Amino acid sequence: MRSRHFSQAVLAWFDQYGRHHLPWQQNPTPYRVWISEIMLQQTRVNTVIPYFQHFIERFKDIPTLANSSRNEVLHLWSGLGYYARGRNLHRSAQIIANEFNGIFPDKIEEVIKLPGIGRSTAGAILAQSHQQRHPILDGNVKRVLCRFDAIQGWPGTSIITKQLWQLADKYTPQTRSRAYTQAIMDLGATICTRSSPACSLCPVQKICLSKQQNLQTELPTPRPCKKRPTKTAYALVFKNEQNEIYLEQRPPTGVWGGLWSFPEVTNGKEPSGHYLATQHHTFSHYHLELTPIIIQSNKQSHTVQDSSTAIWYTPFHSNKLGLAAPVKRLLNQLFHEENDS
Ligand code: SF4
């Protein structure tokens, strides 16, 4: 049977060539696997490893994470991007502490209800930590299945998504759930890659429909083109006589939600100061062109005082703050220039 052949070939390949020494594969408790699965969403393994290690060192278990401040969680998340993931982790830890006695639930219906955990992530956590049999369908798996069965149509539509879930279920074996989950993710990440699939090394090349029809690079069908709008904004970098820089905490939701950043305005004609080069950022719904403006400020005369959502920042600031990567980069640049001059 083709489905049995698929899972057996993928598992045999994994035993020989798969990744077996990732930090979260050692002692795969639900907590460790959960943190790794969330960090790995939209992010490569090599980027995640140091973040995972720092995070687990600081928050050794769910109660520790639940009792920490969101600021500290976001501080350890700084640079990893997609900060809603960090906020949801923190919120979920608090729910698990309150409603599950601090123990990660082991029923998929309960896991799916936690903020930031969808069906695929829930399945991956339970398969890897408890050896439960659940299909998974992350971006890598979608790509493998679309190609293996030559599925035409953008996987973002509900019809194709439903079809892919059925295939994911069909190919998931009854045993070796932990290994198969890692195996199918590894196959997508290392062999059936986005732009140049290494079909000659693939364990299922002989029964892959895309390979037979030479469709590997055309599938999965790309998302229909939708132009993202470009927004323009100006970051007001107030610097006082003590060379401190003014930061505000952003609202909890939205871009860089809960992180510390410069005040922003959309009209760059008003502020007078030293304009730096415009930075380009791309988010899921729009592009942002952000121009920092350095403005000398007199702390005494400035109307805004230190508060829980606004501070005058120095690199030696005792608070651990979550900073968006571009903010961190600009602060480093400004303070280095200061030291070099
Ligand atoms: S044969 Fe090629 S296209 Fe098919 S699953 Fe393997 S790597 Fe992907």
Side-chain angles (χ1 to χ4, degrees):
M1 249 170 77
R2 194 163 169 267
S3 57
R4 191 127 173 261
H5 185 158
F6 179 87
S7 61
Q8 283 180 348
V10 170
L11 278 166
W13 168 83
F14 174 71
D15 289 340
Q16 198 173 353
Y17 302 108
R19 296 180 282 197
H20 299 274
H21 302 290
L22 300 173
W24 43 91
Q25 291 174 315
Q26 323 310 316
N27 184 20
T29 62
Y31 176 60
R32 290 167 62 85
V33 174
W34 170 41
I35 302 299
S36 72
E37 281 298 320
I38 300 297
M39 286 187 168
L40 286 165
Q41 290 168 356
Q42 329 272 353
T43 314
R44 286 172 188 279
V45 163
N46 286 346
T47 307
V48 164
I49 289 174
Y51 280 91
F52 174 81
Q53 284 165 331
H54 285 144
F55 200 92
I56 291 288
E57 252 167 52
R58 169 62 191 90
F59 309 115
K60 64 179 175 29
D61 52 25
I62 292 175
T64 312
L65 177 57
N67 289 327
S68 62
S69 73
R70 188 168 68 185
N71 255 336
E72 195 177 357
V73 175
L74 292 177
H75 172 70
L76 285 195
W77 208 271
S78 290
L80 200 52
Y82 301 96
Y83 295 93
R85 297 182 300 174
R87 294 193 297 271
N88 282 332
L89 262 186
H90 188 226
R91 179 86 197 96
S92 292
Q94 292 173 330
I95 293 171
I96 297 169
N98 291 335
E99 296 179 18
F100 297 94
N101 247 339
I103 297 167
F104 197 89
D106 61 2
K107 295 192 177 57
I108 194 154
E109 307 75 39
E110 290 169 343
V111 177
I112 286 175
K113 284 189 199 145
L114 294 169
I117 302 187
R119 180 177 168 192
S120 182
T121 303
I125 296 169
L126 294 177
Q128 291 175 89
S129 58
H130 288 301
Q131 289 271 28
Q132 291 181 14
R133 181 195 176 277
H134 296 290
I136 62 158
L137 194 61
D138 69 357
N140 282 326
V141 180
K142 276 184 192 167
R143 187 169 58 253
V144 172
L145 296 181
C146 278
R147 285 176 177 161
F148 183 66
D149 272 353
I151 304 291
Q152 305 274 353
W154 179 48
T157 63
S158 56
I159 278 190
I160 303 290
T161 303
K162 196 171 163 205
Q163 196 179 352
L164 290 173
W165 270 114
Q166 285 165 351
L167 290 175
D169 191 34
K170 186 167 105 180
Y171 295 136
T172 303
Q174 294 302 325
T175 56
R176 299 199 65 197
S177 297
R178 176 182 295 148
Y180 177 76
T181 301
Q182 187 67 53
I184 182 97
M185 292 193 292
D186 280 6
L187 186 70
T190 63
I191 300 284
C192 195
T193 56
R194 200 180 301 266
S195 50
S196 49
C199 299
S200 60
L201 302 175
C202 178
V204 294
Q205 56 180 290
K206 290 206 170 79
I207 49 170
C208 172
L209 298 185
S210 284
K211 170 91 170 31
Q212 286 165 10
Q213 298 166 29
N214 205 18
L215 291 171
Q216 304 92 309
T217 50
E218 281 168 44
L219 297 178
T221 305
R223 180 197 193 106
C225 226
K226 194 172 154 224
K227 219 169 167 281
R228 280 184 252 219
T230 298
K231 295 184 185 178
T232 304
Y234 298 83
L236 308 180
V237 185
F238 291 106
K239 203 171 179 187
N240 69 14
E241 286 161 0
Q242 291 78 44
N243 286 322
E244 296 166 324
I245 289 179
Y246 179 77
L247 295 180
E248 288 178 348
Q249 190 170 28
R250 297 174 76 99
T253 52
V255 166
W256 298 328
L259 298 180
W260 292 77
S261 176
F262 312 107
E264 267 174 35
V265 292
T266 49
N267 185 346
K269 290 195 182 120
E270 301 291 326
S272 59
H274 175 53
Y275 283 58
L276 300 181
T278 299
Q279 306 172 350
H280 304 273
H281 305 289
T282 294
F283 302 102
S284 51
H285 299 303
Y286 64 93
H287 300 288
L288 175 66
E289 298 200 329
L290 186 66
T291 307
I293 308 173
I294 313 283
I295 302 168
Q296 282 303 330
S297 161
N298 178 335
K299 187 177 180 180
Q300 279 71 38
S301 67
H302 200 271
T303 49
V304 184
Q305 303 297 315
D306 280 7
S307 74
S308 62
T309 54
I311 53 155
W312 286 95
Y313 177 88
T314 73
F316 317 106
H317 206 283
S318 56
N319 281 345
K320 290 180 172 164
L321 300 178
L323 301 168
V327 174
K328 201 173 182 175
R329 262 198 307 277
L330 188 55
L331 286 171
N332 280 342
Q333 185 190 328
L334 292 170
F335 286 117
H336 275 125
E337 276 170 9
E338 195 60 42
N339 289 339
D340 293 346
S341 60

